Amino acid sequence: MAVLSHVCSCISHSTLFTSTAPSSSLSVSPTTFLQLSSFSTESTWNNIRRTNLCSNVNSLRYSGKTLLRHRHKYYNPCSSMASSLDESGKRSKRVWIWTSNKQVMTAAVERGWNTFVFPSHHRQLAHDWSSIAVICPLFVNEGEVLDGQNKRVATIFDVSTPEELEELRPENEQAENIVVNLLDWQVIPAENIIAAFQRSQNTVFAISNNTSEAQVFLEALEHGLDGIIMKVEDVEPVLELKEYFDRRMEESNLLSLTKATVTHIQAAGMGDRVCVDLCSLMRPGEGLLVGSFARGLFLVHSECLESNYIASRPFRVNAGPVHAYVAVPGGRTCYLSELKSGKEVIIVDHQGRQRIAIVGRVKIESRPLILVEAKIESDNQSISILLQNAETVALVCTPQGNTLLKTSIPVTSLKVGDEILLRVQGGARHTGIEIQEFIVEK
């Protein structure tokens, strides 16, 4: 059960906590959600009592969910309207929700978003929702966004012509927050706004009606706008948006890679192998996590290295046969045969840094294969992978000293005793999701 809303005002509103359990989220600011380790409601209350973070938190039931309301008389749910910085020093992306649907409100609060935008004549609705959960209500009136005391917190600009876009300049705006409603084109105007406001202290939002639009605004010109106002009356876009943020947050987490020793190499005959061509370029030391067993995935190097007989293809990983697992976002795996254009995978480097990439093309051809088996020191079980037997196919090797003097070892040069990198994880999977059950793979 997700624990919702603000737990207490004494937690810093500008701090972002993350962990590997994105399903458990706890919000302490109107625009930033915290991700904590998996916990039960009871253990959370025990922790709150022990640390004495708050002395007056009330739990109430609503629509089968547990909402937390802070009843401290000095608590102000809108106290962190200013942009905060994430761990990299960049502005964190902010989300406001514009809706009159109570189910949308509930879903948003459960996922850590509790700044809501209402038309000015819906103050009673805002009041009603404030009795259900701690929210920050804002009101739209004649091109402005006002807080509960009728103070301006944002200015709204409808943009449908180049002239209207040209008038939108940082030096012309007094409000801290700027909301743009792009009525015609979206991508190019968003890029122009990002370029114009890149050195400004203003926070620029765009109004979005679905997750696809939100993604465009959050990623335009690589940096994206500062935030979005999700204007929806259906729950599904809110759920999709949270999944999008969860996937993107994974990129800031380092994956744990383990050194393994090659124990056996054997030519294995013909098989259908998969080349994965991505919409991203890879660098030396980067590749995809692939393996015959989900419990151990090998870091297969990209074809970014120069060679004498063939041009480098830094967008490609010759990943292995159709049955093999490959790591995808969300801590999941899928079969290489399931990849297709538009799917997402995670690129990983030798230090465990990861990023999401889109599959541009998958190419399956019959080629001679080679079997590679390896073991890690803490486990006597063999972990294996089958790969095309070719000089351009390589496994990422362990770093040597402070620099990676050698990024990879071609499978044609691999020897028993060589050290390569593995991702060790749970072996039991159902539709790519790790589960706890007894399993034997060999």
Side-chain angles (χ1 to χ4, degrees), residues 52-344:
N52 195 27
L53 291 176
C54 304
S55 61
N56 194 7
V57 179
N58 181 43
S59 172
L60 60 100
R61 291 281 179 180
Y62 172 70
S63 297
K65 305 292 184 179
T66 300
L67 303 182
L68 299 183
R69 296 192 60 232
H70 192 288
R71 301 178 64 186
H72 196 289
K73 64 180 179 180
Y74 299 117
Y75 177 65
N76 179 8
C78 299
S79 60
S80 60
M81 294 291 292
S83 293
S84 59
L85 301 180
D86 61 21
E87 293 178 349
S88 63
K90 299 179 181 179
R91 286 184 182 180
S92 58
K93 302 297 183 183
R94 301 168 66 187
V95 175
W96 295 352
I97 307 294
W98 188 337
T99 186
S100 60
N101 185 293
K102 191 177 292 186
Q103 283 69 41
V104 173
M105 181 275 290
T106 304
V109 172
E110 286 175 351
R111 281 147 189 85
W113 298 316
N114 56 1
T115 300
F116 290 89
V117 178
F118 302 90
S120 58
H121 60 276
H122 277 182
R123 286 184 177 267
Q124 183 58 45
L125 179 62
H127 176 76
D128 294 342
W129 286 5
S130 296
S131 67
I132 296 170
V134 177
I135 67 170
C136 176
L138 303 175
F139 303 93
V140 175
N141 185 34
E142 297 182 352
E144 294 183 334
V145 180
L146 310 174
D147 64 14
Q149 288 73 46
N150 287 324
K151 294 180 180 178
R152 184 180 65 179
V153 297
T155 304
I156 301 176
F157 293 88
D158 291 335
V159 177
S160 59
T161 67
E163 292 74 21
E164 290 174 340
L165 182 62
E166 187 64 28
E167 293 175 2
L168 186 58
R169 293 292 172 184
E171 59 271 16
N172 299 334
E173 308 311 327
Q174 301 300 319
E176 176 191 349
N177 302 303
I178 296 169
V179 177
V180 293
N181 188 17
L182 300 176
L183 302 174
D184 191 5
W185 289 19
Q186 293 182 341
V187 179
I188 301 302
E191 291 180 347
N192 292 351
I193 293 170
I194 291 166
F197 282 81
Q198 60 181 322
R199 295 180 180 85
S200 170
Q201 295 303 309
N202 298 96
T203 301
V204 183
F205 291 80
I207 297 176
S208 170
N209 297 302
N210 55 61
T211 311
S212 297
E213 288 181 1
Q215 186 169 339
V216 167
F217 297 140
L218 293 170
E219 296 180 350
L221 213 64
E222 188 176 348
H223 300 285
L225 295 172
D226 300 307
I228 60 165
I229 297 179
M230 183 67 86
K231 188 176 183 180
V232 293
E233 298 299 322
D234 182 62
V235 171
E236 192 61 31
V238 174
L239 305 182
E240 292 173 351
L241 187 64
K242 180 58 166 61
E243 291 177 359
Y244 166 80
F245 276 109
D246 285 346
R247 291 198 308 272
R248 296 302 162 183
M249 287 185 67
E250 286 181 15
E251 295 183 307
S252 62
N253 297 329
L254 285 178
L255 286 178
S256 175
L257 299 178
T258 302
K259 179 174 67 177
T261 303
V262 175
T263 57
H264 182 68
I265 307 165
Q266 175 186 329
M270 301 292 290
D272 294 334
R273 70 92 174 98
V274 181
C275 272
V276 183
D277 292 347
L278 303 177
C279 299
S280 300
L281 298 176
M282 286 169 279
R283 299 177 288 271
E286 288 187 321
L288 300 181
L289 289 169
V290 183
S292 294
F293 309 139
R295 69 174 184 269
L297 302 180
F298 292 70
L299 187 49
V300 182
H301 203 274
S302 72
E303 294 188 7
C304 66
L305 302 178
E306 297 290 340
S307 63
N308 295 329
Y309 294 95
I310 191 169
S312 68
R313 295 178 173 86
F315 54 83
R316 172 173 294 174
V317 177
N318 190 329
V322 288
H323 79 280
Y325 289 111
V326 61
V328 297
R332 301 186 177 209
T333 59
C334 75
Y335 296 114
L336 284 175
S337 59
E338 295 175 335
L339 292 181
K340 60 183 180 180
S341 181
K343 289 280 191 178
E344 290 182 331

Side-chain angles (χ1 to χ4, degrees), residues 3-66:
V3 178
L4 316 176
S5 191
H6 300 333
V7 173
C8 60
S9 58
C10 46
I11 301 178
S12 171
H13 288 288
S14 60
T15 305
L16 177 66
F17 299 89
T18 60
S19 79
T20 57
S23 61
S24 300
S25 62
L26 174 66
S27 173
V28 297
S29 84
T31 55
T32 304
F33 58 85
L34 288 80
Q35 293 189 305
L36 308 175
S37 302
S38 297
F39 52 84
S40 66
T41 302
E42 183 61 31
S43 64
T44 303
W45 287 115
N46 291 338
N47 289 336
I48 291 173
R49 294 188 187 103
R50 282 197 300 269
T51 55
N52 195 27
L53 291 176
C54 304
S55 61
N56 194 7
V57 179
N58 181 43
S59 172
L60 60 100
R61 291 281 179 180
Y62 172 70
S63 297
K65 305 292 184 179
T66 300

